[in-house]
Structures are given as C-alpha cells and as structure tokens.
Amino acid sequence: MSTATDPQLDSLVGALVEANDQLLALYELASLSVDTLDEATAVVQILARAHKLLKTDSLALLSDPIHLVGDSEVFGPLLTANDAESLEHLRISTRGWDTVSVPTGWTITMVAITAGEPLALVAARKSKPFGTADRKLLNAVAKLLASVINTAQLHTEALEQAVIGRDHLIASELAQRALPESTPQVPGVDVFARSDPAHTSGGDLYAWSVVDGVLHFVMGDVAGKGLPAAITMTNVISAANASFRLSGSDGPAAILASMDEWLCESLSEREVFVTMLVGSYDPELARLRVANAGHSPVLYVSDGDVMDIAAHHPPVGVLPIEELLETTLTVSDGDVFLAGSDGLTEQQDASGAMFGDDRVVGLASAGCGLSAVDLGTRIFNEVESFAKSASQSDDRTLVCLTFGKST
Amino acid sequence: MNITKSISAIEISGRFDAHEATSFRETIEQELTTSSNIRLSLAEVEFVDSTALAELVRAMKKCREQGGDLILSEVSGPVAVILELTKLDAAFTIE
C-alpha cells in the first residue's frame, strides 16, 4: 500500500464523513416538528440546526426581531439596540452587501426569503468560503423558514379573523335582542310582529309601549345592512322608547318629531337614514293615528278596501322634521293595519321578479277576519314560497294589527 | 364680470342597488373635486333600493355642504315611484 495515497484517502474519508454529518443534520432539520412550535421557537430551532449543518460561525435571520445564532462579531457593527432600526440598516446594506464593511477573514453569503415581507438569511464563516453545496443548503433552510413564517402568519390572521367573527356574531345577536320578545296586550287589538334579518343582524326594527292605556308603536328600516345598520337600529329603538314616554300623550307626529330630534344629527353623520312609521292606538276612542317618515308599505284595510298611508315626511336623517303631520283613522272590528319592510316586497324569485306591493295588498285585503298572527304568518309564508330557491336579499319585517272586540 | 357655475353631468342606468353603491360614491367623490353641482340623469334606471337611496341622499348633502346641489333629472318611472313613496321627492331638487 503506497503511503502517497494516504492524504487523498484521508481527504476522501473526511469528505464522506462531512457529507454524512451534513446528511444527518439535514435529516434532523427536515424532521424538526415545527408545526407544534410557535413562530419564534421554530425559527430559533431551525437556525440553531442550520448553524450546525452549515458549520457557520454566525447565522442571522434579518427579520423584526432579528434572530442571531453564533458569533455576533460580523453583524455587530450593523446591529443597534433597536431591532427595527437594525433591520432597516441591514436591509439597506444587504441591497449591496459588497459595500458593507466585512471584518477581515470573514466570508458572508446571503439568500433572500419572501414570507409576507422580504427577509434575508445571512451566514458568516471564518474557516473557509461558502461553496455551491453550502449555498444550496442555505437555500433549503431559507425555504423552510419562509414556510414556517408564512404558516405562523396565516395562523395569526385566521385567529384574528375568528376573534373578529366571534365579536361580530355576539354584537349582532345583542342588537337583535333589542327587539321586543313579546307582543303588547291591549284591549281591542291583536298584534303580530316578526323580523327575519337577511344576515345575523339587520337594520329593521319595531318597538312598542303602552302609556296610559294607549299603544304606541314604531316600525322602521335603517338604510344599509349588517352590523352597522343593526347598531343604528338599537339607537332608534332607544329613541323610540324614550319618545313614547316623553311625547306619547301628543300622538305619533310628536313622537316622530321627538325621535327625529334625537336621531337626525347622528344619522346624518353616519350618512344613513331610517324609514319609520309611528302609530298610536287608543282603544277607548277606537282611534289609530299614524305618522309616516318615508316608510312603505303601510296599509290600512277596512271592509276589504285597502288604503295606502303615504309618507308625511322623508325618512328620518334626511332633513329635520319641521311640521307635525299624521293620519287619523277610526277603527272598526275586522280592520287591519299593516306595515312591512322592503325586504318583503322586493324579495326576488329565481328569475329576478319581485314579490311586489300588489301581492302584499292582495294578501292584506283577503286577510280581514284573520288573527294578526295568522295574517302575518301567511304573508311571510307567501314571500318564502315565492322566493323558492332564491336567497333572502334583505331583512324581512312585518308589523300587523287586527282590530276587534273579540281580540 | 362673468360668473360661470360649472355643472357635472352623470348618467346611471340599470339597477341601482347595494352592489353599485361603492362605484357610485367614488364617481361622486371624483366629481366633487371639480364641481359642487352635479346633474344626475336617472332616465335609464330600472330600480333603486334603500342603500342606493341612501347614497343619493349622501351625494345631495355633500353637494349642498359645498354650496352646490345634486339635481336629479329625467327621473324614470320606477325611481319616481320610490321617491314619492318615501317622500324623498320633497328633499331632492328634481327637474
């Protein structure tokens, strides 16, 4: 055996051992269970193993915060107490790494990582320059880091969305609870009210109060959809309940004016309006008075004849109400009062045709003699049946009063 | 001295509902950078919903805040019905 071959053999054995070490380190790196770690821990562990794998003296992930393993000498001059500031400095520097002052004897190599925002993995070594294999390994580490960071970011975003979604759901459910759960008990009138929001919450509303034996009620529709409309809806209900007490004795026009005073400015600031119908039924006088601010449909049916109660004012929030206007009706047994939202009349079927006012008028006309619950339920069922497979496009709300001695 | 009030003209057509509200608002905002008087032709509008009406009211208020007005012109039949039902015809300048 020639001794001349020993150095070559040693070199070959050394290379094989090194390659084997690298393979083992790579196996360790690949088998690192990053899924169970938080982002910071995973990054630190990957860097530590990559540091061993690449036999670097220093390895840094240029992120905020900066992660550094090994000797900080080479990066020291670039780092300050503030990671964000250091990162910016390093980012600027790494655009032209050659311009950075590298301490004598050090070799630096860098790969860019894109994980939401540009990052870089920078390796420094004193012992020997980085070769092609080192760069490939560094690229593999960079890709693993990018994957970990991306996964962590997606997880955080999903978590934040889930929290927002949960809060949204709670707020929506609370808003819907502002609607009264039971109907008022007043002699001579039977009341039905129902609101089916298109989403978790909606902007349609109703409220009532019996003050000194008189039933005051409001039905409204806040322009817009979803949670913003629902929150406005709760404000409207609060204003209604206060106005019933404060202005109820003066009738619905005064209640409406009082609500307008409470709401007009804030609605205007939010750039929304509310179509609103306010009514007061006095069973002693068999008299129904209504004030309408832009709401439709509002119908009164007597002996099968349907009267459309036109708006006295534009919706609340458009212009301040300056006149007290209302319609007074003398009620008879069997008469029906009905106020619905546009979610009923504008419900489309699969072909795009709308349910329409005429169908509501027809149902109201044919409904004399029915209880308020039967009539209201029939109208909802008809709209549902009309829509068939078409989705509910808007909140559907109906307030229905039927009058009679027996009720 | 001649004083000229420039009036922007916008025309919309088809359905005007929640889906169109954002682009309508952007158009109005853009027009308001050059003129506080906007003439809006509604001749070809087939339908307006409450969200669209809220956008019209918002545009009207923005114009008036800047000393101008939103003028609704050539109002189509379906839109006229809605404006009448809601009494918004009393709030807008319609020609």
Side-chain angles (χ1 to χ4, degrees):
Chain A
M1 185 183 287
S2 167
T3 54
T5 58
D6 286 349
Q8 289 175 342
L9 192 60
D10 287 346
S11 169
L12 190 58
V13 169
L16 280 170
V17 169
E18 188 177 344
N20 195 47
D21 285 350
Q22 285 191 334
L23 276 173
L24 281 172
L26 194 58
Y27 173 76
E28 273 186 41
L29 189 66
S31 60
L32 188 61
S33 182
V34 294
D35 290 348
T36 57
L37 304 172
D38 64 79
E39 181 186 351
T41 311
V43 166
V44 167
Q45 291 209 11
I46 291 168
L47 284 177
R49 295 191 187 201
H51 177 55
K52 180 182 166 189
L53 172 68
L54 284 156
K55 292 186 166 38
T56 56
D57 291 297
S58 186
L59 186 63
L61 174 67
L62 305 189
S63 60
D64 186 8
I66 290 171
H67 295 279
L68 177 70
V69 289
D71 191 339
S72 65
E73 182 190 345
V74 68
F75 300 118
L78 298 170
L79 301 177
T80 69
N82 182 325
D83 275 347
E85 195 180 297
S86 297
L87 181 62
E88 190 55 32
H89 189 183
L90 281 165
R91 272 193 191 133
I92 293 165
S93 305
T94 51
R95 280 184 204 127
W97 190 254
D98 293 343
T99 62
V100 177
S101 169
V102 178
T104 311
W106 285 84
T107 304
I108 286 179
T109 189
M110 180 187 72
V111 290
I113 302 172
T114 301
E117 59 174 314
L119 305 172
L121 183 63
V122 188
R125 199 155 69 185
K126 275 184 196 169
S127 55
K128 61 175 183 178
F130 291 102
T132 306
D134 294 323
R135 287 183 174 279
K136 283 186 175 173
L137 283 173
L138 198 62
N139 268 317
V141 173
K143 281 178 182 167
L144 183 60
L145 282 168
S147 166
V148 167
I149 294 165
N150 264 334
T151 304
Q153 284 172 350
L154 287 172
H155 177 71
T156 305
E157 283 167 18
L159 206 61
E160 285 171 358
Q161 282 300 316
V163 170
I164 291 168
R166 188 200 59 191
D167 290 351
H168 191 111
L169 188 64
I170 290 170
S172 299
E173 286 173 356
L174 285 175
Q176 285 306 112
R177 280 189 210 170
L179 297 175
E181 287 179 359
S182 58
T183 50
Q185 302 300 311
V186 176
V189 64
D190 184 20
V191 179
F192 167 88
R194 174 171 154 186
S195 184
D196 292 354
H199 305 288
T200 316
S201 56
D204 283 4
L205 64 107
Y206 49 79
W208 44 69
S209 182
V210 180
V211 183
D212 298 330
V214 177
L215 169 65
H216 303 293
F217 61 95
V218 62
M219 200 232 139
D221 179 358
V222 179
K225 292 178 173 52
L227 190 56
I231 289 169
T232 304
M233 174 267 271
T234 62
N235 294 342
V236 176
I237 289 178
S238 298
N241 287 327
S243 300
F244 291 152
R245 302 272 162 199
L246 289 170
S247 309
S249 59
D250 295 323
I255 295 170
L256 182 61
S258 167
M259 291 181 70
D260 179 66
E261 203 171 315
W262 280 66
L263 295 167
C264 193
E265 197 174 322
S266 68
L267 291 174
S268 204
E269 280 170 8
R270 291 181 215 179
E271 299 176 339
V272 293
F273 60 66
V274 186
T275 65
M276 203 184 295
L277 179 285
V278 182
S280 298
Y281 171 65
D282 186 337
E284 288 288 319
L285 302 173
R287 190 179 68 185
L288 175 67
R289 297 157 69 190
V290 291
N292 185 355
H295 199 81
S296 175
V298 182
L299 306 173
Y300 191 79
V301 189
S302 184
D303 280 337
D305 294 329
V306 181
M307 182 173 91
D308 185 10
I309 301 175
H312 302 101
H313 306 279
V316 174
V318 176
L319 295 172
I321 290 177
E322 290 170 349
E323 275 185 286
L324 298 183
L325 302 171
E326 60 184 44
T327 297
T328 301
L329 302 151
T330 302
V331 305
S332 305
D333 284 1
D335 287 359
V336 172
F337 171 83
L338 189 149
S341 69
D342 54 7
L344 292 167
T345 54
E346 292 175 5
Q347 175 61 51
Q348 294 178 314
D349 65 9
S351 73
M354 286 197 287
F355 189 75
D357 288 337
D358 290 346
R359 282 190 175 85
V360 176
V361 169
L363 287 164
S365 175
C368 286
L370 293 177
S371 70
V373 172
D374 287 346
L375 177 56
T377 305
R378 179 182 288 185
I379 291 173
F380 268 93
N381 289 345
E382 288 290 328
V383 172
E384 195 72 43
S385 162
F386 175 83
K388 288 196 181 93
S389 59
S391 61
Q392 182 181 349
S393 55
D394 202 354
D395 310 329
R396 295 174 188 157
T397 303
L398 182 69
V399 170
C400 184
L401 277 63
T402 55
F403 300 94
K405 288 190 179 72
S406 59
T407 55
Chain B
M1 182 173 69
N2 291 323
I3 298 175
T4 308
K5 262 186 148 180
S6 69
I7 296 183
S8 296
I10 299 173
E11 192 176 318
I12 52 179
S13 59
R15 281 181 68 89
F16 183 19
D17 57 21
H19 300 291
E20 315 300 328
T22 305
S23 63
F24 175 76
R25 183 180 290 206
E26 286 168 0
T27 305
I28 292 292
E29 294 293 335
Q30 182 62 36
E31 291 299 319
L32 281 169
T33 61
T34 55
S35 173
S36 56
N37 287 287
I38 299 173
R39 177 174 283 112
L40 185 66
S41 170
L42 302 172
E44 302 298 325
V45 177
E46 298 157 4
F47 171 76
V48 284
D49 72 356
S50 57
T51 304
L53 288 176
E55 283 303 317
L56 288 176
V57 169
R58 181 184 177 279
M60 176 260 282
K61 287 184 175 179
K62 291 278 176 191
C63 287
R64 290 181 184 174
E65 277 168 18
Q66 294 188 20
D69 201 0
L70 176 76
I71 300 153
L72 306 185
S73 71
E74 303 170 282
V75 178
S76 67
V79 179
V81 168
I82 296 289
L83 291 176
E84 189 183 341
L85 280 176
T86 55
K87 199 80 176 174
L88 279 168
D89 53 356
F92 285 106
T93 302
I94 299 174
E95 56 176 43

